[in-house]
Amino acid sequence: MNETGHAHPRFVWAMGLTNAAYGYSYAAVLVTMPQVMAAHGVSEPVIAGLTALSSLASLATFLLAPVLDTLVSRRAWALGLGMAVVALTLALLGVPPTGPLVAPLMMADALALVMLTTALGGWLGAALPKTMDDTIGTWFAVGNAAGFGLGALTQHWLITALPAPWGLVAVGVAASLPLALQVLIPSPDLGLKAVRESFGDLGRDLAVLVRQPLVLRIVVMFALPCAAFTLTNAFGGLGPDFHVSAGLVDVANGLGATLTGVAAALLARVLLRFVPAPLLYLGIGVVGAAFTAIVIGLPHTPAIYVAAVIGENMAQSIAQVSQNAIQFASIRRGSPIAASQFGLLTTAALLPYTYMLALDGWGYHLVGNVAGSFWMDAGLSLVACLILLVPVLHWMRSGQLTAPDDPLGEALPA
C-alpha cells in the first residue's frame, strides 16, 4: 500500500506498452504508405503534402478529446478507438496508392491514432497513483517507440512480399495485439456521473480546465520548441547531404532509431530517480541543442550521419519520457476530465512538430545546405529552453506543476 492507502498496481510496464498500438499503426501513416506511394510513382512533394495534412488533422484532437470523458467508460473508448485504428490502417494500406481515398484515410487514421493515445493517457493518468507517473511515462514512450519501429521495419515487407490478403492480415494481427494489454489497466475510482456525465457538465468542467494555471503552464512548456527534436523526422531526406546510401538511411532511421529510442527511454527512467521531470525536459533540450550545433562543424560523412541520427533520437526519447511524466503528474487521480486534459497537453506537444519542420526547411534554404537546418533547430531550441528556465524552476519549487496525490471522485468545482 502507498501513503494514500491504495495498493500499488502490478504490471505497470505492460500497461504502458498498450501505447504500442499507437506507434505501430502510426508507422503506416508516416513510413509505410509513403513508401508504397513512392514505389508507384507519386512525387515527393505530394507525399510530403499528404503527411503534413495528416499531422494537421491530428491537431483536432483537443476539439474532440472531451467526448472521451463522456457517454461510456474509458475502457470502452480505448478499446473502440483501438479497433477503429486497426480498421483504418488496414483500409489505408489496402487502397490503391494513387487513388482518391489515400488522403482522407491518412488524415482519418492520424486523428484516430492521436485520439487513441489520448484516451489511453487520460485513462492511465486518472487510474494510477501519482507515485507511478515516472514509470508509466517511461513505458508509454517505450510502447510508442517499439511499436513504431516494428511497424516501420515490417509493414512494407508484409504487404508486398506475402500474397494478398495475408500481408494485410498479418499487419492487422500485429496492430491488434497491444489492445489485449488494456485488460491490465484498472478502472478509475469514479462514480456513474463521472463516467457518463452530461455534456452540459462537461462544458463547465472544460471551462475550468483551460483556466487552470497548472495546465496553462505545461501548455506553454510544450508549445515552445525546447525539446521537440523535429530533425528526427527530416533525416530520411538528408542522406545526400552526408553522402549516405539509401540502404544506410533505412537502417539508421529504422532499426537504429528504434533501438536507440527504447534504450534511451529506459535510461530516462533511471535519470528520473535523480532529476525531476521538468528539469530533465529542459536539460535534455539544452544538451540536445548543443549536440545539434556540434554536428554542424563535423565532416558530413556517413559515420557522422549515423551518429547524428542516434544522438537526436536518443535526446528525443528522453524528452518524450520526461514530457509523459509531466503530463501524467498533472492529472489528478480520478479526474473526470482526464482525457480532455491529456488531449490539450498532447496537442500542445504536437505544435512544435508542425512549425519546426517548416522553420528547419527555411533554414536549409537560407544557408543552402543542411547546416542551415541544424542552426535553426539548435538555436530556437536553446532560446526556448533558456526562456523557460527561470519560470520552470519557480513552478517546481512551489509545486505548481503537479496535481495532488489524492483521488478525485467528483467533477471539478465551478
Side-chain angles (χ1 to χ4, degrees):
M1 304 287 283
N2 61 20
E3 65 272 14
T4 62
H6 294 278
H8 284 287
R10 300 176 62 192
F11 307 114
V12 174
W13 62 271
M15 298 179 200
L17 292 182
T18 57
N19 205 35
Y22 165 76
Y24 182 85
S25 288
Y26 223 136
V29 176
L30 297 180
V31 178
T32 308
M33 197 59 193
Q35 281 182 296
V36 174
M37 287 190 289
H40 284 78
V42 180
S43 67
E44 178 58 32
V46 171
I47 295 173
L50 291 175
T51 54
L53 280 175
S54 301
S55 298
L56 287 175
S58 69
L59 294 181
T61 296
F62 176 61
L63 297 176
L64 299 177
V67 76
L68 303 178
D69 292 314
T70 64
L71 302 179
V72 295
S73 70
R74 302 188 190 281
R75 188 181 302 276
W77 274 118
L79 181 59
L81 282 167
M83 295 172 65
V85 160
V86 173
L88 285 168
T89 300
L90 293 181
L92 174 63
L93 297 180
V95 299
T98 58
L101 293 178
V102 173
L105 282 172
M106 286 181 72
M107 295 173 67
D109 203 9
L111 177 57
L113 280 159
V114 180
M115 288 287 286
L116 171 61
T117 196
T118 296
L120 289 170
W123 180 11
L124 289 163
L128 297 178
K130 297 293 96 183
T131 53
M132 299 285 99
D133 288 334
D134 291 352
T135 302
I136 192 60
T138 298
W139 289 101
F140 209 65
V142 169
N144 177 22
F148 187 90
L150 181 63
L153 289 170
T154 63
Q155 287 172 359
H156 186 262
W157 181 85
L158 288 172
I159 63 177
T160 56
L162 297 183
W166 296 112
L168 284 176
V169 169
V171 170
V173 170
S176 303
L177 287 176
L179 302 180
L181 296 173
Q182 292 183 13
V183 300
L184 299 172
I185 306 176
S187 297
D189 185 18
L190 297 176
L192 186 63
K193 176 180 182 296
V195 175
R196 299 179 182 271
E197 64 179 337
S198 71
F199 281 96
D201 288 343
L202 181 66
R204 179 203 64 189
D205 292 345
L206 283 178
V208 174
L209 173 64
V210 297
R211 294 198 304 266
Q212 283 185 2
L214 181 152
V215 173
L216 294 178
R217 293 182 192 109
I218 299 174
V219 166
V220 171
M221 286 180 62
F222 289 174
L224 290 175
C226 172
F229 299 105
T230 51
L231 282 175
T232 57
N233 292 342
F235 275 123
L238 297 179
D241 292 89
F242 289 84
H243 313 290
V244 178
S245 67
L248 184 56
V249 169
D250 290 342
V251 171
N253 290 278
L255 183 62
T258 300
L259 295 178
T260 298
V262 172
L266 297 176
L267 172 62
R269 177 68 185 96
V270 176
L271 295 175
L272 285 172
R273 297 175 184 172
F274 309 99
V275 183
L279 197 57
L280 180 60
Y281 182 74
L282 296 185
I284 195 61
V286 172
V287 171
F291 173 81
T292 302
I294 290 173
V295 171
I296 299 171
L298 298 176
H300 288 181
T301 63
I304 298 302
Y305 176 84
V306 172
V309 170
I310 291 175
E312 295 286 338
N313 276 277
M314 178 176 290
Q316 185 183 64
S317 186
I318 294 173
Q320 288 176 346
V321 169
S322 57
Q323 198 173 59
N324 288 341
I326 293 168
Q327 286 184 255
F328 286 120
S330 72
I331 299 174
R332 193 165 182 175
R333 191 175 190 192
S335 169
I337 54 172
S340 302
Q341 182 170 332
F342 201 89
L344 172 60
L345 299 180
T346 298
T347 302
L350 289 173
L351 281 176
Y353 290 87
T354 62
Y355 65 78
M356 280 301 294
L357 279 173
L359 290 173
D360 289 346
W362 185 46
Y364 189 104
H365 290 296
L366 284 177
V367 176
N369 56 51
V370 71
S373 294
F374 279 55
W375 277 125
M376 182 69 74
D377 198 89
L380 291 178
S381 297
L382 183 59
V383 168
C385 290
L386 294 178
I387 290 173
L388 288 170
L389 180 59
V390 172
V392 167
L393 289 175
H394 170 70
W395 296 335
M396 287 174 53
R397 284 195 295 265
S398 54
Q400 297 179 35
L401 289 176
T402 56
D405 189 7
D406 58 348
L408 178 63
E410 300 295 333
L412 293 172

mmCIF file of all heavy atoms in Angstrom, residues 192-221:
data_model
loop_
_atom_site.group_PDB
_atom_site.id
_atom_site.type_symbol
_atom_site.label_atom_id
_atom_site.label_comp_id
_atom_site.label_asym_id
_atom_site.label_seq_id
_atom_site.Cartn_x
_atom_site.Cartn_y
_atom_site.Cartn_z
ATOM 1 N N LEU A 192 -20.862 6.908 -11.323
ATOM 2 C CA LEU A 192 -21.505 6.855 -12.625
ATOM 3 C C LEU A 192 -21.511 8.216 -13.303
ATOM 4 O O LEU A 192 -21.342 8.334 -14.504
ATOM 5 C CB LEU A 192 -22.938 6.336 -12.468
ATOM 6 C CG LEU A 192 -23.718 6.091 -13.759
ATOM 7 C CD1 LEU A 192 -23.034 5.007 -14.567
ATOM 8 C CD2 LEU A 192 -25.155 5.692 -13.444
ATOM 9 N N LYS A 193 -21.680 9.282 -12.528
ATOM 10 C CA LYS A 193 -21.745 10.610 -13.108
ATOM 11 C C LYS A 193 -20.443 10.975 -13.806
ATOM 12 O O LYS A 193 -20.443 11.599 -14.864
ATOM 13 C CB LYS A 193 -22.054 11.649 -12.025
ATOM 14 C CG LYS A 193 -22.055 13.091 -12.534
ATOM 15 C CD LYS A 193 -22.376 14.037 -11.387
ATOM 16 C CE LYS A 193 -22.426 15.478 -11.882
ATOM 17 N NZ LYS A 193 -21.139 15.934 -12.369
ATOM 18 N N ALA A 194 -19.318 10.587 -13.203
ATOM 19 C CA ALA A 194 -18.030 10.950 -13.798
ATOM 20 C C ALA A 194 -17.809 10.228 -15.114
ATOM 21 O O ALA A 194 -17.145 10.743 -16.000
ATOM 22 C CB ALA A 194 -16.898 10.629 -12.833
ATOM 23 N N VAL A 195 -18.363 9.019 -15.262
ATOM 24 C CA VAL A 195 -18.166 8.261 -16.485
ATOM 25 C C VAL A 195 -19.186 8.666 -17.546
ATOM 26 O O VAL A 195 -18.880 8.747 -18.724
ATOM 27 C CB VAL A 195 -18.264 6.747 -16.193
ATOM 28 C CG1 VAL A 195 -18.177 5.945 -17.470
ATOM 29 C CG2 VAL A 195 -17.164 6.338 -15.231
ATOM 30 N N ARG A 196 -20.400 8.957 -17.143
ATOM 31 C CA ARG A 196 -21.473 9.258 -18.089
ATOM 32 C C ARG A 196 -22.039 10.657 -17.870
ATOM 33 O O ARG A 196 -23.227 10.891 -18.027
ATOM 34 C CB ARG A 196 -22.600 8.230 -17.931
ATOM 35 C CG ARG A 196 -22.171 6.795 -18.202
ATOM 36 C CD ARG A 196 -23.365 5.867 -17.997
ATOM 37 N NE ARG A 196 -22.982 4.478 -18.209
ATOM 38 C CZ ARG A 196 -23.026 3.860 -19.377
ATOM 39 N NH1 ARG A 196 -23.415 4.515 -20.433
ATOM 40 N NH2 ARG A 196 -22.678 2.594 -19.475
ATOM 41 N N GLU A 197 -21.168 11.595 -17.472
ATOM 42 C CA GLU A 197 -21.659 12.927 -17.152
ATOM 43 C C GLU A 197 -22.218 13.616 -18.387
ATOM 44 O O GLU A 197 -21.870 13.279 -19.519
ATOM 45 C CB GLU A 197 -20.550 13.771 -16.536
ATOM 46 C CG GLU A 197 -19.403 14.034 -17.471
ATOM 47 C CD GLU A 197 -18.345 14.903 -16.805
ATOM 48 O OE1 GLU A 197 -18.662 15.612 -15.860
ATOM 49 O OE2 GLU A 197 -17.206 14.846 -17.274
ATOM 50 N N SER A 198 -23.101 14.544 -18.163
ATOM 51 C CA SER A 198 -23.763 15.222 -19.273
ATOM 52 C C SER A 198 -22.807 16.151 -19.979
ATOM 53 O O SER A 198 -21.806 16.584 -19.424
ATOM 54 C CB SER A 198 -24.958 16.020 -18.749
ATOM 55 O OG SER A 198 -24.491 17.145 -18.003
ATOM 56 N N PHE A 199 -23.147 16.509 -21.229
ATOM 57 C CA PHE A 199 -22.320 17.442 -21.979
ATOM 58 C C PHE A 199 -22.369 18.830 -21.358
ATOM 59 O O PHE A 199 -21.434 19.603 -21.489
ATOM 60 C CB PHE A 199 -22.764 17.482 -23.448
ATOM 61 C CG PHE A 199 -22.258 16.329 -24.245
ATOM 62 C CD1 PHE A 199 -23.047 15.209 -24.437
ATOM 63 C CD2 PHE A 199 -20.989 16.342 -24.789
ATOM 64 C CE1 PHE A 199 -22.576 14.132 -25.165
ATOM 65 C CE2 PHE A 199 -20.512 15.277 -25.529
ATOM 66 C CZ PHE A 199 -21.309 14.157 -25.713
ATOM 67 N N GLY A 200 -23.465 19.160 -20.680
ATOM 68 C CA GLY A 200 -23.528 20.450 -20.002
ATOM 69 C C GLY A 200 -22.493 20.549 -18.899
ATOM 70 O O GLY A 200 -21.772 21.544 -18.787
ATOM 71 N N ASP A 201 -22.401 19.496 -18.060
ATOM 72 C CA ASP A 201 -21.377 19.477 -17.021
ATOM 73 C C ASP A 201 -19.982 19.465 -17.638
ATOM 74 O O ASP A 201 -19.054 20.075 -17.117
ATOM 75 C CB ASP A 201 -21.541 18.233 -16.137
ATOM 76 C CG ASP A 201 -22.758 18.348 -15.234
ATOM 77 O OD1 ASP A 201 -23.253 19.478 -15.071
ATOM 78 O OD2 ASP A 201 -23.202 17.317 -14.711
ATOM 79 N N LEU A 202 -19.827 18.751 -18.755
ATOM 80 C CA LEU A 202 -18.524 18.674 -19.407
ATOM 81 C C LEU A 202 -18.066 20.055 -19.861
ATOM 82 O O LEU A 202 -16.909 20.431 -19.686
ATOM 83 C CB LEU A 202 -18.591 17.730 -20.599
ATOM 84 C CG LEU A 202 -17.274 17.539 -21.370
ATOM 85 C CD1 LEU A 202 -16.252 16.850 -20.504
ATOM 86 C CD2 LEU A 202 -17.512 16.752 -22.636
ATOM 87 N N GLY A 203 -18.977 20.819 -20.451
ATOM 88 C CA GLY A 203 -18.626 22.162 -20.884
ATOM 89 C C GLY A 203 -18.166 23.031 -19.731
ATOM 90 O O GLY A 203 -17.198 23.785 -19.839
ATOM 91 N N ARG A 204 -18.856 22.904 -18.593
ATOM 92 C CA ARG A 204 -18.448 23.661 -17.409
ATOM 93 C C ARG A 204 -17.057 23.246 -16.936
ATOM 94 O O ARG A 204 -16.210 24.082 -16.615
ATOM 95 C CB ARG A 204 -19.468 23.436 -16.288
ATOM 96 C CG ARG A 204 -19.131 24.163 -14.989
ATOM 97 C CD ARG A 204 -19.810 23.482 -13.810
ATOM 98 N NE ARG A 204 -19.298 22.119 -13.630
ATOM 99 C CZ ARG A 204 -19.833 21.241 -12.796
ATOM 100 N NH1 ARG A 204 -20.927 21.544 -12.113
ATOM 101 N NH2 ARG A 204 -19.303 20.040 -12.665
ATOM 102 N N ASP A 205 -16.826 21.932 -16.917
ATOM 103 C CA ASP A 205 -15.530 21.439 -16.450
ATOM 104 C C ASP A 205 -14.400 21.838 -17.394
ATOM 105 O O ASP A 205 -13.282 22.128 -16.958
ATOM 106 C CB ASP A 205 -15.570 19.914 -16.314
ATOM 107 C CG ASP A 205 -16.485 19.466 -15.179
ATOM 108 O OD1 ASP A 205 -16.847 20.321 -14.355
ATOM 109 O OD2 ASP A 205 -16.825 18.274 -15.140
ATOM 110 N N LEU A 206 -14.666 21.849 -18.705
ATOM 111 C CA LEU A 206 -13.639 22.255 -19.659
ATOM 112 C C LEU A 206 -13.280 23.725 -19.494
ATOM 113 O O LEU A 206 -12.125 24.111 -19.648
ATOM 114 C CB LEU A 206 -14.109 21.989 -21.084
ATOM 115 C CG LEU A 206 -14.055 20.537 -21.548
ATOM 116 C CD1 LEU A 206 -14.590 20.421 -22.965
ATOM 117 C CD2 LEU A 206 -12.638 20.000 -21.476
ATOM 118 N N ALA A 207 -14.286 24.551 -19.180
ATOM 119 C CA ALA A 207 -14.007 25.963 -18.930
ATOM 120 C C ALA A 207 -13.059 26.120 -17.744
ATOM 121 O O ALA A 207 -12.172 26.970 -17.740
ATOM 122 C CB ALA A 207 -15.307 26.721 -18.683
ATOM 123 N N VAL A 208 -13.246 25.249 -16.731
ATOM 124 C CA VAL A 208 -12.333 25.257 -15.590
ATOM 125 C C VAL A 208 -10.941 24.789 -16.020
ATOM 126 O O VAL A 208 -9.919 25.355 -15.635
ATOM 127 C CB VAL A 208 -12.880 24.360 -14.458
ATOM 128 C CG1 VAL A 208 -11.867 24.253 -13.323
ATOM 129 C CG2 VAL A 208 -14.204 24.918 -13.935
ATOM 130 N N LEU A 209 -10.906 23.738 -16.867
ATOM 131 C CA LEU A 209 -9.624 23.167 -17.298
ATOM 132 C C LEU A 209 -8.738 24.199 -17.987
ATOM 133 O O LEU A 209 -7.567 24.348 -17.664
ATOM 134 C CB LEU A 209 -9.874 21.977 -18.231
ATOM 135 C CG LEU A 209 -8.638 21.362 -18.905
ATOM 136 C CD1 LEU A 209 -7.705 20.772 -17.872
ATOM 137 C CD2 LEU A 209 -9.063 20.309 -19.919
ATOM 138 N N VAL A 210 -9.304 24.913 -18.957
ATOM 139 C CA VAL A 210 -8.474 25.841 -19.732
ATOM 140 C C VAL A 210 -8.091 27.076 -18.924
ATOM 141 O O VAL A 210 -7.252 27.860 -19.373
ATOM 142 C CB VAL A 210 -9.187 26.259 -21.033
ATOM 143 C CG1 VAL A 210 -9.403 25.066 -21.933
ATOM 144 C CG2 VAL A 210 -10.514 26.966 -20.735
ATOM 145 N N ARG A 211 -8.690 27.243 -17.739
ATOM 146 C CA ARG A 211 -8.300 28.348 -16.869
ATOM 147 C C ARG A 211 -7.357 27.910 -15.756
ATOM 148 O O ARG A 211 -6.891 28.742 -14.979
ATOM 149 C CB ARG A 211 -9.545 28.994 -16.237
ATOM 150 C CG ARG A 211 -10.468 29.690 -17.222
ATOM 151 C CD ARG A 211 -11.405 30.657 -16.510
ATOM 152 N NE ARG A 211 -12.185 30.002 -15.462
ATOM 153 C CZ ARG A 211 -13.414 29.498 -15.636
ATOM 154 N NH1 ARG A 211 -13.985 29.568 -16.827
ATOM 155 N NH2 ARG A 211 -14.058 28.935 -14.629
ATOM 156 N N GLN A 212 -7.074 26.613 -15.684
ATOM 157 C CA GLN A 212 -6.209 26.131 -14.611
ATOM 158 C C GLN A 212 -4.765 26.558 -14.863
ATOM 159 O O GLN A 212 -4.183 26.213 -15.900
ATOM 160 C CB GLN A 212 -6.268 24.607 -14.511
ATOM 161 C CG GLN A 212 -7.518 24.072 -13.835
ATOM 162 C CD GLN A 212 -7.451 22.566 -13.656
ATOM 163 O OE1 GLN A 212 -6.457 21.935 -14.009
ATOM 164 N NE2 GLN A 212 -8.502 22.001 -13.098
ATOM 165 N N PRO A 213 -4.147 27.273 -13.939
ATOM 166 C CA PRO A 213 -2.745 27.698 -14.136
ATOM 167 C C PRO A 213 -1.808 26.523 -14.378
ATOM 168 O O PRO A 213 -0.889 26.618 -15.193
ATOM 169 C CB PRO A 213 -2.420 28.421 -12.830
ATOM 170 C CG PRO A 213 -3.741 28.909 -12.325
ATOM 171 C CD PRO A 213 -4.723 27.833 -12.702
ATOM 172 N N LEU A 214 -2.029 25.393 -13.683
ATOM 173 C CA LEU A 214 -1.151 24.230 -13.859
ATOM 174 C C LEU A 214 -1.157 23.784 -15.317
ATOM 175 O O LEU A 214 -0.098 23.535 -15.915
ATOM 176 C CB LEU A 214 -1.609 23.096 -12.938
ATOM 177 C CG LEU A 214 -0.810 21.783 -12.951
ATOM 178 C CD1 LEU A 214 -0.929 21.089 -11.606
ATOM 179 C CD2 LEU A 214 -1.302 20.847 -14.036
ATOM 180 N N VAL A 215 -2.346 23.674 -15.898
ATOM 181 C CA VAL A 215 -2.471 23.224 -17.277
ATOM 182 C C VAL A 215 -1.846 24.225 -18.233
ATOM 183 O O VAL A 215 -1.107 23.856 -19.163
ATOM 184 C CB VAL A 215 -3.951 22.985 -17.632
ATOM 185 C CG1 VAL A 215 -4.115 22.674 -19.115
ATOM 186 C CG2 VAL A 215 -4.525 21.850 -16.784
ATOM 187 N N LEU A 216 -2.106 25.500 -18.020
ATOM 188 C CA LEU A 216 -1.578 26.528 -18.916
ATOM 189 C C LEU A 216 -0.054 26.591 -18.854
ATOM 190 O O LEU A 216 0.601 26.840 -19.872
ATOM 191 C CB LEU A 216 -2.181 27.885 -18.558
ATOM 192 C CG LEU A 216 -3.698 28.002 -18.793
ATOM 193 C CD1 LEU A 216 -4.198 29.367 -18.362
ATOM 194 C CD2 LEU A 216 -4.048 27.734 -20.252
ATOM 195 N N ARG A 217 0.512 26.370 -17.686
ATOM 196 C CA ARG A 217 1.982 26.364 -17.576
ATOM 197 C C ARG A 217 2.578 25.265 -18.458
ATOM 198 O O ARG A 217 3.580 25.474 -19.156
ATOM 199 C CB ARG A 217 2.398 26.149 -16.121
ATOM 200 C CG ARG A 217 2.050 27.302 -15.181
ATOM 201 C CD ARG A 217 2.541 27.028 -13.774
ATOM 202 N NE ARG A 217 1.956 27.985 -12.839
ATOM 203 C CZ ARG A 217 1.026 27.690 -11.937
ATOM 204 N NH1 ARG A 217 0.604 26.436 -11.812
ATOM 205 N NH2 ARG A 217 0.540 28.617 -11.146
ATOM 206 N N ILE A 218 1.987 24.073 -18.391
ATOM 207 C CA ILE A 218 2.526 22.957 -19.168
ATOM 208 C C ILE A 218 2.284 23.164 -20.655
ATOM 209 O O ILE A 218 3.118 22.788 -21.494
ATOM 210 C CB ILE A 218 1.917 21.633 -18.676
ATOM 211 C CG1 ILE A 218 2.278 21.421 -17.198
ATOM 212 C CG2 ILE A 218 2.423 20.461 -19.503
ATOM 213 C CD1 ILE A 218 1.607 20.212 -16.565
ATOM 214 N N VAL A 219 1.160 23.765 -21.022
ATOM 215 C CA VAL A 219 0.906 24.088 -22.423
ATOM 216 C C VAL A 219 2.013 24.979 -22.973
ATOM 217 O O VAL A 219 2.533 24.760 -24.079
ATOM 218 C CB VAL A 219 -0.471 24.769 -22.591
ATOM 219 C CG1 VAL A 219 -0.587 25.413 -23.963
ATOM 220 C CG2 VAL A 219 -1.590 23.748 -22.403
ATOM 221 N N VAL A 220 2.409 25.996 -22.208
ATOM 222 C CA VAL A 220 3.489 26.890 -22.634
ATOM 223 C C VAL A 220 4.800 26.110 -22.781
ATOM 224 O O VAL A 220 5.531 26.273 -23.763
ATOM 225 C CB VAL A 220 3.652 28.050 -21.639
ATOM 226 C CG1 VAL A 220 4.907 28.857 -21.959
ATOM 227 C CG2 VAL A 220 2.423 28.956 -21.676
ATOM 228 N N MET A 221 5.098 25.251 -21.809
ATOM 229 C CA MET A 221 6.326 24.452 -21.868
ATOM 230 C C MET A 221 6.391 23.613 -23.141
ATOM 231 O O MET A 221 7.420 23.548 -23.813
ATOM 232 C CB MET A 221 6.417 23.528 -20.648
ATOM 233 C CG MET A 221 6.774 24.196 -19.343
ATOM 234 S SD MET A 221 6.851 22.986 -17.997
ATOM 235 C CE MET A 221 8.178 21.912 -18.572
#
